[in-house]
Amino acid sequence: MRQTTLAAVLTAMLASLTAGCASPQARGASTVPSAPVTRADMVARLLVAAEQAANGPDPQPRRLAEALAALDRLGARPAPGATDSLTDPLPGWRTSVPDTARPAMRGRLLGPAYRRGLLEPGATTTLAQLFDGGRQARVAIAAASGGPLGIAVLDGTGKPVCPVRQGTGSQCSWVPPFSGRHHIRLSNPGAMRVAYYLVIE
């Protein structure tokens, strides 16, 4: 019951934080039909809302603080290798909101891992990721600027477990039958460089 309540509260907060935040390109872009919001998808969208609150033409410290608090409640953490301000901007955002204290993570399960990235027009990038067999796997992506991105997930044999999806925000959920390496393929079909957040759970 408590988990359901938390999900409802965070979903309402996400709707409030992201209302009117989408870029003009994103507002005009086609999106994937709506699907149930997963924790990974929620983290991806909260990261975009936090970036827009921190770096928009009219910075909004209060909205940034709310987004950071929601990310903490979800247990969001940087992905391995996300060690600088480009791939993990949260430390810098926290310093700009001094009254926002990060809650202690001791005793909590860590949640989805995030990474910020940039993709040039027409470019494709592939990231390798290990997933455990028999456990729900989730991947979500949200564009912080620019147009829509394509995302697909392939198993170790190259078989698609998540067919190509395109939009400013997309997610994929599946249960791998066996533990193994998968490949997350991102593509930018547009004419603009795209900043994005990739979230893996």
Side-chain angles (χ1 to χ4, degrees), residues 3-4 6-15 18 32-46 74 112 136 138-142 165 169-173 199 201:
Q3 189 173 9
T4 303
L6 176 58
V9 169
L10 289 171
T11 301
M13 183 183 292
L14 175 62
T18 57
V32 176
S34 61
V37 177
T38 64
R39 186 166 67 158
D41 184 47
M42 197 175 295
V43 167
R45 291 200 247 171
L46 282 167
L74 288 166
Q136 184 79 51
R138 294 185 179 93
V139 176
I141 192 166
R165 297 177 181 180
S170 300
Q171 60 177 317
C172 177
S173 298
V199 179
E201 184 176 22

Coordinates of all heavy atoms in Angstrom, one line a residue, residues 3-4 6-15 18 32-46 74 112 136 138-142 165 169-173 199 201:
Q3 N 3.9 1.5 -1.1 CA 4.6 1.7 -2.4 C 3.6 2.3 -3.4 O 4.0 3.1 -4.2 CB 5.1 0.3 -2.8 CG 6.0 0.4 -4.1 CD 6.6 -1.0 -4.4 OE1 6.2 -2.0 -3.8 NE2 7.5 -1.0 -5.3
T4 N 2.4 1.8 -3.4 CA 1.4 2.4 -4.3 C 1.2 3.9 -4.1 O 1.1 4.7 -5.0 CB 0.0 1.6 -4.2 OG1 0.3 0.2 -4.4 CG2 -1.0 2.2 -5.2
L6 N 3.3 6.0 -2.7 CA 4.5 6.7 -3.1 C 4.5 6.9 -4.6 O 4.8 7.9 -5.1 CB 5.8 5.9 -2.7 CG 7.1 6.5 -3.1 CD1 7.3 7.9 -2.6 CD2 8.3 5.6 -2.7
A7 N 4.1 5.8 -5.3 CA 4.1 5.9 -6.8 C 3.1 7.0 -7.2 O 3.4 7.7 -8.2 CB 3.7 4.5 -7.4
A8 N 1.9 7.0 -6.6 CA 0.9 8.0 -6.9 C 1.4 9.4 -6.6 O 1.2 10.3 -7.5 CB -0.4 7.7 -6.1
V9 N 2.1 9.6 -5.5 CA 2.6 10.9 -5.1 C 3.7 11.4 -6.1 O 3.7 12.5 -6.6 CB 3.2 10.9 -3.7 CG1 4.0 12.2 -3.4 CG2 2.0 10.7 -2.7
L10 N 4.6 10.5 -6.5 CA 5.7 10.8 -7.4 C 5.1 11.1 -8.8 O 5.6 11.9 -9.5 CB 6.7 9.7 -7.4 CG 7.6 9.6 -6.1 CD1 8.4 8.4 -6.1 CD2 8.4 10.8 -6.0
T11 N 4.1 10.3 -9.2 CA 3.5 10.5 -10.5 C 2.9 11.9 -10.6 O 3.0 12.6 -11.6 CB 2.5 9.4 -10.8 OG1 3.1 8.2 -10.8 CG2 1.9 9.6 -12.2
A12 N 2.2 12.3 -9.5 CA 1.6 13.6 -9.5 C 2.6 14.7 -9.5 O 2.5 15.7 -10.2 CB 0.7 13.8 -8.3
M13 N 3.7 14.5 -8.7 CA 4.8 15.4 -8.7 C 5.5 15.6 -10.1 O 5.8 16.6 -10.6 CB 5.9 15.0 -7.7 CG 7.0 16.0 -7.5 SD 8.3 15.5 -6.3 CE 7.3 15.6 -4.8
L14 N 5.7 14.4 -10.7 CA 6.3 14.4 -12.1 C 5.4 15.2 -13.0 O 5.9 16.0 -13.8 CB 6.4 13.0 -12.6 CG 6.9 12.8 -14.0 CD1 8.3 13.3 -14.1 CD2 6.9 11.3 -14.4
A15 N 4.1 15.0 -13.0 CA 3.2 15.7 -13.9 C 3.3 17.2 -13.6 O 3.3 18.0 -14.6 CB 1.8 15.3 -13.7
T18 N 6.9 18.5 -14.9 CA 7.1 18.5 -16.4 C 6.1 19.3 -17.1 O 6.2 19.4 -18.3 CB 7.1 17.1 -16.9 OG1 5.9 16.4 -16.5 CG2 8.3 16.3 -16.3
V32 N 5.9 7.8 -28.6 CA 5.4 6.5 -28.5 C 4.0 6.5 -27.8 O 3.9 7.3 -26.8 CB 6.4 5.6 -27.7 CG1 5.9 4.2 -27.5 CG2 7.7 5.6 -28.5
P33 N 3.1 5.7 -28.2 CA 1.8 5.6 -27.4 C 2.1 5.4 -25.9 O 3.0 4.7 -25.5 CB 1.1 4.4 -28.0 CG 1.7 4.3 -29.4 CD 3.1 4.7 -29.3
S34 N 1.2 6.0 -25.1 CA 1.4 6.0 -23.7 C 1.4 4.5 -23.1 O 0.7 3.7 -23.6 CB 0.4 6.8 -23.0 OG -0.9 6.3 -23.2
A35 N 2.3 4.3 -22.2 CA 2.4 3.0 -21.5 C 2.5 3.3 -20.0 O 2.7 4.4 -19.6 CB 3.7 2.3 -22.0
P36 N 2.3 2.3 -19.2 CA 2.4 2.5 -17.8 C 3.7 3.1 -17.4 O 4.8 2.7 -17.9 CB 2.2 1.1 -17.2 CG 1.5 0.3 -18.2 CD 1.9 0.9 -19.5
V37 N 3.7 4.1 -16.5 CA 5.0 4.7 -16.1 C 5.7 3.8 -15.2 O 5.2 3.4 -14.1 CB 4.7 6.1 -15.4 CG1 6.0 6.7 -15.0 CG2 3.9 7.0 -16.4
T38 N 7.0 3.5 -15.5 CA 7.8 2.7 -14.7 C 8.7 3.6 -13.9 O 8.8 4.8 -14.2 CB 8.7 1.7 -15.5 OG1 9.6 2.5 -16.3 CG2 7.9 0.8 -16.4
R39 N 9.4 3.0 -12.9 CA 10.3 3.8 -12.1 C 11.5 4.4 -12.9 O 11.9 5.5 -12.8 CB 10.9 3.0 -10.9 CG 11.7 3.8 -10.0 CD 12.0 3.0 -8.7 NE 12.8 1.8 -8.9 CZ 13.5 1.3 -7.9 NH1 13.5 1.7 -6.7 NH2 14.2 0.2 -8.1
A40 N 12.0 3.6 -13.9 CA 13.0 4.0 -14.8 C 12.6 5.2 -15.6 O 13.3 6.2 -15.8 CB 13.5 2.9 -15.6
D41 N 11.4 5.1 -16.2 CA 10.8 6.2 -17.0 C 10.6 7.4 -16.2 O 10.9 8.6 -16.6 CB 9.5 5.7 -17.6 CG 8.9 6.7 -18.6 OD1 9.6 7.2 -19.4 OD2 7.7 7.0 -18.4
M42 N 10.1 7.3 -14.9 CA 9.9 8.4 -14.0 C 11.2 9.1 -13.7 O 11.3 10.3 -13.8 CB 9.3 7.9 -12.7 CG 8.6 9.0 -11.9 SD 7.8 8.4 -10.5 CE 6.4 7.4 -11.2
V43 N 12.3 8.3 -13.5 CA 13.6 8.9 -13.2 C 14.1 9.7 -14.5 O 14.6 10.8 -14.3 CB 14.6 7.9 -12.8 CG1 16.1 8.4 -12.9 CG2 14.3 7.3 -11.4
A44 N 13.9 9.1 -15.7 CA 14.4 9.8 -16.9 C 13.7 11.2 -17.0 O 14.3 12.2 -17.3 CB 14.1 8.9 -18.1
R45 N 12.4 11.2 -16.8 CA 11.6 12.4 -17.0 C 11.9 13.4 -15.9 O 11.9 14.6 -16.1 CB 10.1 12.1 -17.0 CG 9.7 11.3 -18.3 CD 8.3 11.4 -18.6 NE 7.6 10.2 -18.4 CZ 6.3 10.0 -18.4 NH1 5.5 11.0 -18.5 NH2 5.8 8.8 -18.3
L46 N 12.1 12.9 -14.7 CA 12.5 13.9 -13.6 C 13.9 14.5 -13.8 O 14.1 15.7 -13.5 CB 12.5 13.1 -12.2 CG 11.2 12.9 -11.6 CD1 11.3 11.9 -10.5 CD2 10.6 14.2 -11.1
L74 N 13.4 8.0 -5.2 CA 13.4 6.9 -6.1 C 14.7 6.1 -6.1 O 14.8 5.1 -6.7 CB 13.1 7.4 -7.5 CG 11.6 7.8 -7.8 CD1 11.5 8.5 -9.1 CD2 10.7 6.6 -7.8
P112 N 17.3 3.1 -9.9 CA 17.7 3.1 -11.3 C 19.0 3.9 -11.5 O 19.2 4.9 -10.8 CB 16.6 3.7 -12.1 CG 15.4 3.6 -11.2 CD 15.9 3.6 -9.8
Q136 N 12.9 -8.7 -13.9 CA 12.4 -7.6 -14.8 C 13.5 -6.6 -15.1 O 14.2 -6.1 -14.2 CB 11.3 -6.8 -14.1 CG 10.6 -5.8 -14.9 CD 9.6 -6.3 -15.9 OE1 8.8 -7.1 -15.5 NE2 9.8 -6.0 -17.2
R138 N 14.5 -3.0 -17.2 CA 13.8 -1.8 -17.7 C 14.8 -0.8 -18.2 O 15.9 -0.6 -17.6 CB 12.9 -1.1 -16.6 CG 11.7 -1.9 -16.2 CD 10.9 -1.1 -15.2 NE 9.7 -1.9 -14.8 CZ 9.7 -2.7 -13.7 NH1 10.8 -2.7 -12.9 NH2 8.6 -3.3 -13.4
V139 N 14.6 -0.2 -19.3 CA 15.4 0.9 -19.9 C 14.5 2.0 -20.3 O 13.4 1.8 -20.9 CB 16.2 0.3 -21.1 CG1 17.0 1.5 -21.8 CG2 17.1 -0.8 -20.8
A140 N 14.8 3.2 -20.0 CA 14.0 4.4 -20.4 C 15.0 5.5 -20.9 O 16.1 5.6 -20.4 CB 13.2 4.9 -19.2
I141 N 14.5 6.3 -21.8 CA 15.2 7.4 -22.3 C 14.3 8.6 -22.4 O 13.1 8.5 -22.7 CB 15.9 7.0 -23.7 CG1 16.9 8.1 -24.1 CG2 14.8 6.9 -24.7 CD1 17.8 7.7 -25.2
A142 N 14.9 9.8 -22.1 CA 14.2 11.0 -22.3 C 15.1 12.1 -22.9 O 16.2 12.2 -22.4 CB 13.6 11.5 -20.9
R165 N 12.0 2.0 -31.1 CA 10.9 3.0 -30.7 C 11.5 4.3 -30.9 O 12.7 4.5 -30.7 CB 10.5 2.7 -29.3 CG 9.9 1.4 -29.1 CD 9.5 1.1 -27.7 NE 8.9 -0.2 -27.5 CZ 8.5 -0.7 -26.4 NH1 8.6 -0.1 -25.3 NH2 8.0 -2.0 -26.4
G169 N 10.6 10.5 -25.4 CA 10.7 9.7 -24.3 C 10.2 8.3 -24.6 O 9.1 8.2 -25.2
S170 N 10.9 7.3 -24.3 CA 10.6 5.9 -24.6 C 11.1 5.0 -23.5 O 12.0 5.3 -22.8 CB 11.2 5.5 -26.0 OG 10.7 6.3 -27.0
Q171 N 10.4 3.9 -23.4 CA 10.8 2.9 -22.4 C 10.6 1.5 -22.9 O 9.9 1.3 -23.9 CB 10.1 3.1 -21.1 CG 8.6 2.9 -21.2 CD 7.9 3.1 -19.8 OE1 8.4 2.5 -18.9 NE2 6.8 3.8 -19.8
C172 N 11.4 0.6 -22.3 CA 11.3 -0.8 -22.7 C 11.4 -1.7 -21.5 O 12.2 -1.4 -20.6 CB 12.4 -1.2 -23.7 SG 12.5 -2.9 -24.2
S173 N 10.5 -2.7 -21.3 CA 10.5 -3.6 -20.2 C 10.5 -5.0 -20.7 O 9.7 -5.3 -21.6 CB 9.3 -3.4 -19.2 OG 9.4 -2.1 -18.7
V199 N 18.2 5.8 -18.6 CA 18.0 5.2 -17.2 C 17.9 3.7 -17.4 O 17.1 3.2 -18.2 CB 16.8 5.8 -16.5 CG1 16.6 5.2 -15.1 CG2 16.9 7.3 -16.4
E201 N 17.4 0.0 -15.2 CA 17.0 -0.6 -13.9 C 17.0 -2.2 -14.1 O 16.4 -2.6 -15.0 CB 15.7 -0.1 -13.4 CG 15.3 -0.6 -12.1 CD 14.0 0.0 -11.6 OE1 13.2 0.5 -12.4 OE2 13.8 0.0 -10.4

